[in-house]
Coordinates of all heavy atoms in Angstrom, one line a residue:
M1 N 21.2 3.0 -1.9 CA 21.1 1.6 -2.2 C 19.8 1.1 -1.6 O 19.5 1.3 -0.5 CB 22.3 0.9 -1.6 CG 22.3 -0.6 -1.8 SD 23.8 -1.3 -1.1 CE 23.5 -3.0 -1.4
I2 N 19.1 0.3 -2.4 CA 17.8 -0.2 -2.0 C 18.1 -1.7 -1.5 O 18.7 -2.5 -2.2 CB 16.8 -0.2 -3.1 CG1 16.5 1.3 -3.4 CG2 15.5 -0.9 -2.7 CD1 15.6 1.5 -4.6
T3 N 17.5 -2.0 -0.4 CA 17.7 -3.4 0.2 C 16.3 -4.0 0.4 O 15.4 -3.4 0.9 CB 18.4 -3.3 1.5 OG1 19.6 -2.6 1.3 CG2 18.7 -4.6 2.1
I4 N 16.2 -5.3 0.1 CA 15.0 -6.1 0.4 C 15.2 -6.6 1.8 O 16.1 -7.3 2.1 CB 14.9 -7.3 -0.6 CG1 14.7 -6.7 -2.0 CG2 13.7 -8.1 -0.2 CD1 14.8 -7.8 -3.1
K5 N 14.2 -6.3 2.7 CA 14.3 -6.7 4.1 C 13.4 -7.8 4.4 O 13.6 -8.5 5.4 CB 14.0 -5.5 5.0 CG 15.0 -4.4 5.0 CD 16.3 -5.0 5.6 CE 17.4 -3.9 5.8 NZ 18.5 -4.4 6.6
A6 N 12.4 -8.1 3.6 CA 11.5 -9.2 3.8 C 10.7 -9.5 2.5 O 10.6 -8.6 1.7 CB 10.5 -8.9 4.9
E7 N 10.3 -10.7 2.4 CA 9.5 -11.1 1.2 C 8.4 -12.0 1.6 O 8.5 -12.9 2.5 CB 10.4 -11.9 0.2 CG 11.6 -11.1 -0.3 CD 12.4 -11.9 -1.3 OE1 11.9 -12.4 -2.3 OE2 13.6 -12.0 -1.0
Q8 N 7.2 -11.8 1.0 CA 6.1 -12.7 1.1 C 5.4 -12.8 -0.2 O 5.0 -11.8 -0.8 CB 5.1 -12.2 2.2 CG 5.6 -12.2 3.6 CD 4.5 -11.9 4.6 OE1 3.4 -12.3 4.4 NE2 4.9 -11.0 5.6
E9 N 5.2 -14.0 -0.7 CA 4.6 -14.2 -2.0 C 5.3 -13.5 -3.0 O 6.5 -13.6 -3.2 CB 3.1 -13.9 -1.9 CG 2.3 -14.6 -0.9 CD 2.3 -16.1 -0.9 OE1 2.6 -16.7 -1.9 OE2 2.1 -16.7 0.2
H10 N 4.7 -12.6 -3.7 CA 5.3 -11.8 -4.8 C 5.7 -10.4 -4.3 O 5.9 -9.5 -5.2 CB 4.4 -11.7 -6.0 CG 4.1 -13.0 -6.6 ND1 4.9 -13.8 -7.3 CD2 2.9 -13.8 -6.5 CE1 4.4 -14.9 -7.7 NE2 3.2 -14.9 -7.2
Y11 N 5.6 -10.1 -3.1 CA 5.8 -8.8 -2.5 C 7.1 -8.7 -1.7 O 7.5 -9.6 -1.0 CB 4.6 -8.4 -1.7 CG 3.3 -8.5 -2.5 CD1 2.5 -9.6 -2.5 CD2 3.0 -7.4 -3.4 CE1 1.4 -9.7 -3.3 CE2 1.8 -7.5 -4.2 CZ 1.1 -8.7 -4.1 OH -0.1 -8.7 -4.9
C12 N 7.7 -7.5 -1.7 CA 8.9 -7.3 -1.0 C 8.8 -6.0 -0.2 O 8.3 -5.0 -0.6 CB 10.1 -7.1 -2.0 SG 10.3 -8.5 -3.0
L13 N 9.4 -6.1 1.0 CA 9.6 -4.9 1.9 C 10.9 -4.3 1.5 O 12.0 -5.0 1.6 CB 9.6 -5.3 3.3 CG 9.8 -4.3 4.4 CD1 8.6 -3.3 4.4 CD2 10.0 -4.9 5.7
L14 N 10.9 -3.0 1.1 CA 12.2 -2.4 0.6 C 12.5 -1.2 1.5 O 11.6 -0.5 2.0 CB 12.0 -1.9 -0.8 CG 11.5 -2.8 -1.9 CD1 11.3 -2.1 -3.2 CD2 12.6 -3.9 -2.1
T15 N 13.8 -1.0 1.7 CA 14.2 0.2 2.3 C 15.4 0.8 1.6 O 16.2 0.1 0.9 CB 14.6 0.0 3.8 OG1 15.0 1.2 4.4 CG2 15.8 -1.0 3.9
N16 N 15.5 2.1 1.6 CA 16.7 2.8 1.1 C 17.6 3.3 2.2 O 18.4 4.2 2.0 CB 16.2 4.0 0.2 CG 15.4 5.0 0.9 OD1 15.3 5.0 2.1 ND2 14.8 5.9 0.1
G17 N 17.4 2.8 3.4 CA 18.2 3.2 4.6 C 17.5 4.3 5.4 O 17.9 4.5 6.5
Q18 N 16.5 4.9 4.8 CA 15.7 5.9 5.5 C 14.2 5.7 5.4 O 13.6 5.8 6.4 CB 16.1 7.3 4.9 CG 15.4 8.5 5.4 CD 15.9 9.7 4.7 OE1 16.9 9.8 4.1 NE2 15.1 10.8 4.9
D19 N 13.8 5.4 4.2 CA 12.3 5.2 4.0 C 12.0 3.7 3.8 O 12.9 2.9 3.4 CB 11.9 6.0 2.8 CG 12.1 7.5 3.0 OD1 11.7 8.0 4.0 OD2 12.8 8.1 2.1
W20 N 10.8 3.4 3.9 CA 10.3 2.0 3.7 C 9.1 2.0 2.7 O 8.3 2.9 2.7 CB 9.9 1.4 5.0 CG 11.0 1.2 6.0 CD1 11.5 2.2 6.8 CD2 11.7 0.0 6.3 NE1 12.5 1.7 7.5 CE2 12.7 0.4 7.2 CE3 11.7 -1.3 5.8 CZ2 13.6 -0.6 7.7 CZ3 12.6 -2.2 6.3 CH2 13.5 -1.8 7.2
T21 N 9.0 1.0 1.9 CA 7.9 0.8 1.0 C 7.7 -0.7 0.7 O 8.5 -1.5 1.1 CB 8.0 1.6 -0.3 OG1 6.8 1.8 -0.9 CG2 9.1 1.0 -1.2
V22 N 6.6 -1.0 0.0 CA 6.3 -2.4 -0.4 C 6.1 -2.3 -1.9 O 5.5 -1.4 -2.5 CB 5.0 -2.9 0.3 CG1 4.7 -4.3 -0.2 CG2 5.2 -2.9 1.8
A23 N 6.7 -3.3 -2.6 CA 6.7 -3.4 -4.0 C 6.3 -4.8 -4.4 O 6.6 -5.8 -3.7 CB 8.0 -3.0 -4.7
E24 N 5.8 -4.9 -5.6 CA 5.5 -6.3 -6.2 C 6.6 -6.6 -7.1 O 7.1 -5.8 -7.9 CB 4.2 -6.3 -6.9 CG 3.8 -7.6 -7.5 CD 2.5 -7.6 -8.2 OE1 1.8 -6.6 -8.2 OE2 2.2 -8.6 -8.8
R25 N 7.1 -7.9 -7.0 CA 8.2 -8.3 -7.9 C 7.6 -9.3 -8.9 O 6.9 -10.2 -8.6 CB 9.3 -9.0 -7.1 CG 10.4 -9.5 -8.0 CD 11.5 -10.2 -7.3 NE 11.0 -11.3 -6.5 CZ 11.5 -11.7 -5.3 NH1 12.4 -11.0 -4.8 NH2 10.9 -12.7 -4.7
R26 N 7.9 -9.0 -10.2 CA 7.5 -9.9 -11.3 C 8.7 -10.0 -12.2 O 9.2 -8.9 -12.7 CB 6.3 -9.4 -12.0 CG 5.0 -9.6 -11.2 CD 3.8 -9.4 -12.0 NE 3.4 -8.0 -11.8 CZ 3.0 -7.2 -12.7 NH1 3.1 -7.5 -14.0 NH2 2.7 -5.9 -12.5
A27 N 9.1 -11.2 -12.6 CA 10.2 -11.4 -13.5 C 11.4 -10.6 -13.2 O 12.1 -10.1 -14.1 CB 9.7 -11.0 -15.0
G28 N 11.7 -10.5 -11.9 CA 13.0 -9.9 -11.5 C 12.9 -8.4 -11.5 O 14.0 -7.7 -11.2
K29 N 11.8 -7.8 -11.8 CA 11.6 -6.4 -11.8 C 10.6 -6.0 -10.7 O 9.8 -6.8 -10.3 CB 11.3 -5.8 -13.1 CG 12.4 -6.1 -14.1 CD 12.2 -5.4 -15.4 CE 13.4 -5.7 -16.3 NZ 13.2 -5.1 -17.6
Y30 N 10.5 -4.7 -10.3 CA 9.7 -4.3 -9.2 C 8.7 -3.3 -9.7 O 9.0 -2.4 -10.5 CB 10.6 -3.8 -8.1 CG 11.5 -4.9 -7.6 CD1 12.7 -5.2 -8.2 CD2 11.1 -5.6 -6.5 CE1 13.5 -6.3 -7.8 CE2 11.9 -6.7 -6.0 CZ 13.1 -7.0 -6.7 OH 13.8 -8.0 -6.3
H31 N 7.5 -3.3 -9.1 CA 6.4 -2.4 -9.4 C 5.9 -1.8 -8.1 O 5.7 -2.6 -7.2 CB 5.3 -3.2 -10.1 CG 5.7 -3.9 -11.3 ND1 5.6 -3.3 -12.6 CD2 6.3 -5.1 -11.5 CE1 6.0 -4.2 -13.5 NE2 6.4 -5.3 -12.9
P32 N 5.6 -0.5 -8.1 CA 5.0 0.0 -6.9 C 3.6 -0.6 -6.7 O 2.9 -0.9 -7.7 CB 4.9 1.5 -7.2 CG 5.1 1.7 -8.6 CD 5.8 0.5 -9.1
L33 N 3.1 -0.7 -5.5 CA 1.8 -1.3 -5.2 C 0.7 -0.4 -5.9 O 0.8 0.8 -5.9 CB 1.5 -1.3 -3.7 CG 2.2 -2.4 -3.0 CD1 1.7 -2.4 -1.5 CD2 1.9 -3.8 -3.5
G34 N -0.2 -1.0 -6.6 CA -1.3 -0.3 -7.2 C -1.0 0.3 -8.5 O -1.8 0.9 -9.1
N35 N 0.2 0.1 -9.0 CA 0.6 0.6 -10.4 C 1.4 -0.4 -11.1 O 2.6 -0.1 -11.3 CB 1.3 2.0 -10.2 CG 1.5 2.7 -11.5 OD1 1.0 2.2 -12.5 ND2 2.1 3.8 -11.5
C36 N 0.9 -1.5 -11.5 CA 1.6 -2.5 -12.1 C 1.5 -2.5 -13.7 O 2.0 -3.4 -14.3 CB 1.2 -3.9 -11.6 SG 1.6 -4.0 -9.8
S37 N 0.9 -1.5 -14.2 CA 0.7 -1.5 -15.7 C 1.9 -0.9 -16.4 O 2.1 -1.2 -17.6 CB -0.5 -0.6 -16.0 OG -0.4 0.7 -15.6
R38 N 2.8 -0.2 -15.7 CA 4.0 0.3 -16.3 C 5.1 -0.8 -16.2 O 5.0 -1.7 -15.4 CB 4.4 1.5 -15.5 CG 3.4 2.7 -15.7 CD 3.7 3.9 -14.9 NE 5.1 4.4 -15.2 CZ 5.7 5.2 -14.4 NH1 5.2 5.6 -13.3 NH2 6.9 5.6 -14.8
P39 N 6.1 -0.6 -17.1 CA 7.2 -1.6 -17.0 C 7.9 -1.7 -15.7 O 7.9 -0.6 -15.0 CB 8.2 -1.1 -18.1 CG 7.4 -0.2 -19.0 CD 6.3 0.4 -18.1
G40 N 8.3 -2.8 -15.3 CA 9.0 -3.0 -14.0 C 10.3 -2.3 -14.0 O 10.9 -2.0 -15.0
I41 N 10.8 -2.1 -12.8 CA 12.1 -1.4 -12.6 C 13.1 -2.3 -11.8 O 12.8 -2.8 -10.8 CB 11.8 -0.1 -11.7 CG1 10.8 0.7 -12.3 CG2 13.1 0.6 -11.4 CD1 10.2 1.8 -11.4
P42 N 14.3 -2.5 -12.4 CA 15.3 -3.2 -11.6 C 15.8 -2.4 -10.4 O 15.8 -1.1 -10.5 CB 16.5 -3.3 -12.6 CG 15.9 -3.0 -14.0 CD 14.7 -2.1 -13.7
L43 N 16.1 -3.0 -9.3 CA 16.5 -2.3 -8.1 C 17.8 -1.6 -8.2 O 18.1 -0.6 -7.5 CB 16.6 -3.2 -6.9 CG 15.2 -3.7 -6.4 CD1 15.5 -4.5 -5.1 CD2 14.3 -2.5 -6.1
D44 N 18.7 -2.0 -9.2 CA 20.0 -1.4 -9.3 C 20.1 -0.3 -10.3 O 21.2 0.0 -10.8 CB 21.0 -2.5 -9.6 CG 20.7 -3.2 -10.9 OD1 19.7 -3.0 -11.5 OD2 21.6 -4.0 -11.3
T45 N 19.0 0.4 -10.6 CA 19.0 1.5 -11.5 C 18.5 2.7 -10.7 O 17.8 2.7 -9.7 CB 18.1 1.2 -12.7 OG1 16.7 1.1 -12.2 CG2 18.5 0.0 -13.5
P46 N 18.9 3.9 -11.2 CA 18.4 5.2 -10.6 C 16.9 5.3 -10.5 O 16.3 5.9 -9.6 CB 19.0 6.3 -11.4 CG 20.2 5.6 -12.1 CD 19.8 4.2 -12.3
E47 N 16.2 4.7 -11.5 CA 14.7 4.8 -11.6 C 14.1 4.0 -10.4 O 12.9 4.3 -10.1 CB 14.2 4.2 -12.9 CG 14.6 5.0 -14.1 CD 16.0 4.7 -14.6 OE1 16.6 3.6 -14.3 OE2 16.5 5.6 -15.3
A48 N 14.8 3.2 -9.7 CA 14.3 2.4 -8.6 C 13.8 3.4 -7.4 O 12.9 3.0 -6.6 CB 15.3 1.4 -8.0
A49 N 14.3 4.6 -7.4 CA 13.9 5.5 -6.4 C 12.4 5.9 -6.5 O 11.8 6.2 -5.5 CB 14.7 6.8 -6.5
T50 N 11.9 5.7 -7.7 CA 10.4 6.0 -7.9 C 9.6 5.0 -7.2 O 8.4 5.2 -7.0 CB 10.1 6.0 -9.4 OG1 10.3 4.7 -10.0 CG2 10.9 7.1 -10.1
L51 N 10.1 3.8 -6.8 CA 9.3 2.9 -6.0 C 8.9 3.4 -4.6 O 8.0 2.9 -4.0 CB 10.1 1.6 -5.8 CG 10.4 0.8 -7.1 CD1 11.4 -0.3 -6.8 CD2 9.1 0.2 -7.7
F52 N 9.6 4.4 -4.2 CA 9.4 5.0 -2.9 C 8.4 6.2 -3.0 O 8.4 7.1 -2.1 CB 10.7 5.5 -2.2 CG 11.5 4.3 -1.7 CD1 12.3 3.6 -2.6 CD2 11.4 3.8 -0.4 CE1 13.1 2.5 -2.2 CE2 12.1 2.7 0.0 CZ 13.0 2.1 -0.9
H53 N 7.5 6.2 -4.0 CA 6.5 7.2 -4.1 C 5.7 7.2 -2.8 O 5.3 8.3 -2.3 CB 5.7 7.0 -5.4 CG 4.5 7.9 -5.5 ND1 4.7 9.3 -5.8 CD2 3.2 7.7 -5.3 CE1 3.5 9.9 -5.8 NE2 2.6 9.0 -5.5
R54 N 5.3 6.0 -2.4 CA 4.6 5.9 -1.1 C 5.6 5.4 0.0 O 6.2 4.3 -0.1 CB 3.5 4.8 -1.2 CG 2.4 5.3 -2.1 CD 1.3 4.3 -2.2 NE 0.2 4.7 -3.1 CZ -0.7 3.9 -3.6 NH1 -0.6 2.6 -3.3 NH2 -1.6 4.4 -4.4
R55 N 5.8 6.3 0.9 CA 6.8 6.0 2.0 C 6.1 5.7 3.3 O 5.1 6.4 3.6 CB 7.8 7.2 2.1 CG 8.5 7.4 0.9 CD 9.3 8.7 0.9 NE 9.8 9.0 -0.4 CZ 10.8 9.7 -0.6 NH1 11.5 10.3 0.4 NH2 11.3 9.9 -1.8
Y56 N 6.7 4.8 4.0 CA 6.0 4.4 5.3 C 7.1 4.3 6.4 O 8.3 4.1 6.1 CB 5.3 3.1 5.2 CG 4.4 3.0 4.0 CD1 4.7 2.4 2.8 CD2 3.1 3.6 4.1 CE1 3.8 2.3 1.8 CE2 2.2 3.5 3.1 CZ 2.6 2.9 1.9 OH 1.7 2.8 0.9
T57 N 6.6 4.2 7.6 CA 7.5 3.8 8.7 C 7.7 2.3 8.6 O 6.9 1.6 7.9 CB 7.0 4.2 10.1 OG1 5.7 3.4 10.2 CG2 6.7 5.7 10.2
E58 N 8.7 1.8 9.2 CA 9.0 0.3 9.1 C 7.8 -0.5 9.6 O 7.3 -1.4 8.9 CB 10.2 -0.1 9.8 CG 10.5 -1.6 9.7 CD 11.8 -2.0 10.4 OE1 12.5 -1.2 11.0 OE2 12.0 -3.2 10.4
P59 N 7.2 -0.2 10.8 CA 6.1 -1.0 11.2 C 4.9 -1.0 10.3 O 4.2 -2.0 10.0 CB 5.7 -0.4 12.6 CG 6.9 0.3 13.0 CD 7.6 0.8 11.8
V60 N 4.6 0.2 9.7 CA 3.5 0.3 8.8 C 3.8 -0.5 7.5 O 2.9 -1.2 7.0 CB 3.1 1.8 8.5 CG1 2.1 1.9 7.4 CG2 2.6 2.5 9.8
A61 N 5.0 -0.4 7.0 CA 5.3 -1.1 5.8 C 5.3 -2.6 6.0 O 4.8 -3.3 5.1 CB 6.7 -0.7 5.3
R62 N 5.7 -3.1 7.2 CA 5.6 -4.5 7.5 C 4.1 -5.0 7.5 O 3.8 -6.0 7.1 CB 6.3 -4.8 8.8 CG 7.8 -4.8 8.6 CD 8.5 -5.3 9.9 NE 10.0 -5.2 9.7 CZ 10.7 -6.1 9.0 NH1 10.2 -7.1 8.5 NH2 12.0 -5.9 8.9
R63 N 3.2 -4.1 8.1 CA 1.8 -4.5 8.2 C 1.2 -4.5 6.7 O 0.5 -5.4 6.4 CB 1.1 -3.4 9.0 CG -0.4 -3.7 9.1 CD -1.2 -2.7 9.9 NE -0.9 -1.3 9.6 CZ -1.5 -0.7 8.6 NH1 -2.3 -1.3 7.8 NH2 -1.2 0.6 8.3
I64 N 1.6 -3.6 5.9 CA 1.1 -3.6 4.5 C 1.6 -4.8 3.8 O 0.8 -5.4 3.1 CB 1.5 -2.3 3.8 CG1 0.8 -1.1 4.4 CG2 1.3 -2.4 2.3 CD1 1.3 0.3 4.0
L65 N 2.8 -5.2 4.0 CA 3.4 -6.4 3.3 C 2.5 -7.6 3.8 O 2.1 -8.4 2.9 CB 4.8 -6.6 3.7 CG 5.5 -7.9 3.2 CD1 5.5 -7.9 1.7 CD2 6.9 -8.0 3.8
D66 N 2.3 -7.7 5.1 CA 1.5 -8.8 5.6 C 0.1 -8.8 4.9 O -0.4 -9.9 4.5 CB 1.3 -8.8 7.1 CG 2.6 -9.2 7.8 OD1 3.5 -9.8 7.2 OD2 2.8 -8.8 9.0
E67 N -0.5 -7.7 4.9 CA -1.9 -7.6 4.3 C -2.0 -7.9 2.9 O -2.9 -8.7 2.5 CB -2.4 -6.2 4.5 CG -2.7 -5.8 6.0 CD -3.1 -4.4 6.2 OE1 -3.1 -3.6 5.2 OE2 -3.4 -4.0 7.4
V68 N -1.1 -7.4 2.0 CA -1.2 -7.7 0.6 C -0.8 -9.1 0.3 O -1.4 -9.7 -0.6 CB -0.3 -6.7 -0.3 CG1 -0.9 -5.3 -0.2 CG2 1.1 -6.8 0.0
A69 N 0.1 -9.7 1.0 CA 0.5 -11.1 0.8 C -0.7 -12.0 1.2 O -1.0 -13.0 0.6 CB 1.8 -11.4 1.6
T70 N -1.3 -11.7 2.3 CA -2.5 -12.5 2.8 C -3.6 -12.4 1.8 O -4.3 -13.4 1.4 CB -3.0 -12.0 4.2 OG1 -1.9 -12.2 5.1 CG2 -4.2 -12.7 4.6
E71 N -3.9 -11.2 1.3 CA -4.9 -11.0 0.2 C -4.6 -11.8 -1.0 O -5.5 -12.5 -1.6 CB -5.1 -9.5 -0.2 CG -5.8 -8.7 0.9 CD -5.8 -7.3 0.5 OE1 -5.7 -6.9 -0.7 OE2 -6.0 -6.4 1.4
W72 N -3.3 -11.8 -1.4 CA -2.9 -12.6 -2.6 C -3.1 -14.1 -2.3 O -3.7 -14.8 -3.2 CB -1.4 -12.3 -2.9 CG -1.0 -13.0 -4.2 CD1 -1.1 -12.5 -5.4 CD2 -0.5 -14.4 -4.3 NE1 -0.6 -13.4 -6.3 CE2 -0.3 -14.6 -5.7 CE3 -0.2 -15.4 -3.4 CZ2 0.2 -15.8 -6.1 CZ3 0.3 -16.6 -3.9 CH2 0.5 -16.8 -5.2
R73 N -2.7 -14.6 -1.2 CA -2.9 -16.0 -0.8 C -4.4 -16.4 -0.8 O -4.8 -17.4 -1.3 CB -2.3 -16.4 0.5 CG -0.8 -16.6 0.4 CD -0.2 -17.1 1.7 NE -0.4 -16.3 2.9 CZ 0.4 -15.3 3.2 NH1 1.5 -15.1 2.5 NH2 0.2 -14.5 4.3
D74 N -5.2 -15.5 -0.2 CA -6.7 -15.8 -0.2 C -7.3 -15.8 -1.6 O -8.1 -16.7 -1.9 CB -7.4 -14.7 0.7 CG -7.1 -14.8 2.1 OD1 -6.5 -15.8 2.6 OD2 -7.4 -13.8 2.9
L75 N -6.9 -14.9 -2.4 CA -7.4 -14.9 -3.8 C -6.9 -16.1 -4.6 O -7.7 -16.8 -5.3 CB -7.0 -13.7 -4.6 CG -7.7 -12.4 -4.2 CD1 -7.1 -11.2 -4.8 CD2 -9.2 -12.5 -4.6
F76 N -5.7 -16.5 -4.4 CA -5.1 -17.7 -5.1 C -5.9 -18.9 -4.6 O -6.2 -19.8 -5.5 CB -3.6 -17.8 -4.7 CG -3.0 -19.0 -5.4 CD1 -2.7 -19.0 -6.7 CD2 -2.7 -20.1 -4.6 CE1 -2.1 -20.1 -7.3 CE2 -2.1 -21.2 -5.2 CZ -1.8 -21.2 -6.6
E77 N -6.1 -19.1 -3.4 CA -6.9 -20.3 -2.9 C -8.3 -20.3 -3.4 O -8.9 -21.3 -3.7 CB -6.9 -20.3 -1.4 CG -5.5 -20.7 -0.8 CD -5.0 -22.0 -1.2 OE1 -5.8 -23.0 -1.3 OE2 -3.8 -22.2 -1.5
L78 N -8.9 -19.1 -3.6 CA -10.3 -19.0 -4.1 C -10.4 -19.5 -5.5 O -11.3 -20.2 -5.9 CB -10.8 -17.6 -3.9 CG -12.2 -17.3 -4.3 CD1 -13.1 -18.0 -3.3 CD2 -12.5 -15.8 -4.3
I79 N -9.4 -19.1 -6.4 CA -9.5 -19.4 -7.8 C -8.9 -20.8 -8.1 O -9.0 -21.3 -9.2 CB -8.8 -18.4 -8.7 CG1 -7.4 -18.2 -8.4 CG2 -9.6 -17.0 -8.5 CD1 -6.6 -17.2 -9.3
R80 N -8.1 -21.3 -7.1 CA -7.5 -22.6 -7.4 C -8.4 -23.7 -7.4 O -9.2 -24.3 -7.5 CB -6.5 -22.8 -6.2 CG -5.4 -23.8 -6.6 CD -4.4 -23.8 -5.5 NE -4.6 -24.9 -4.6 CZ -3.7 -25.4 -3.8 NH1 -2.5 -24.9 -3.8 NH2 -4.0 -26.4 -3.0

């Protein structure tokens, strides 16, 4: 079972109880970071395990979540 532990902007910190990763959420579906060209994946399907292609420790995943959300906010403010 995949659980969302934190959210910032369009990004979510996910855990499967053992591993941690960060994914982008769009239209209720999830995309692994850096690979948003493929169709999104609902969290309640077996395919959601592919979101854990990049696995991190919890502290590293939280840092990555902070970094990508900050980058998104900075870019949004720049183009706004």
Side-chain angles (χ1 to χ4, degrees):
M1 178 176 178
I2 297 175
T3 306
I4 299 171
K5 289 294 187 173
E7 298 179 56
Q8 290 188 43
E9 306 302 338
H10 301 284
Y11 301 97
C12 299
L13 178 66
L14 304 176
T15 185
N16 60 8
Q18 178 178 343
D19 302 307
W20 295 80
T21 197
V22 178
E24 181 176 354
R25 180 179 58 216
R26 285 191 267 133
K29 295 188 179 176
Y30 297 81
H31 303 265
L33 286 183
N35 189 3
C36 296
S37 61
R38 296 175 55 197
I41 303 167
L43 287 185
D44 59 351
T45 64
E47 293 81 22
T50 63
L51 294 169
F52 288 84
H53 174 71
R54 293 182 179 161
R55 298 170 188 204
Y56 307 102
T57 62
E58 181 180 357
V60 171
R62 287 187 182 279
R63 181 181 49 79
I64 292 169
L65 175 64
D66 288 340
E67 289 174 359
V68 296
T70 298
E71 287 177 19
W72 185 90
R73 280 189 298 273
D74 291 347
L75 285 171
F76 180 77
E77 288 300 319
L78 185 67
I79 61 173
R80 198 170 99 156

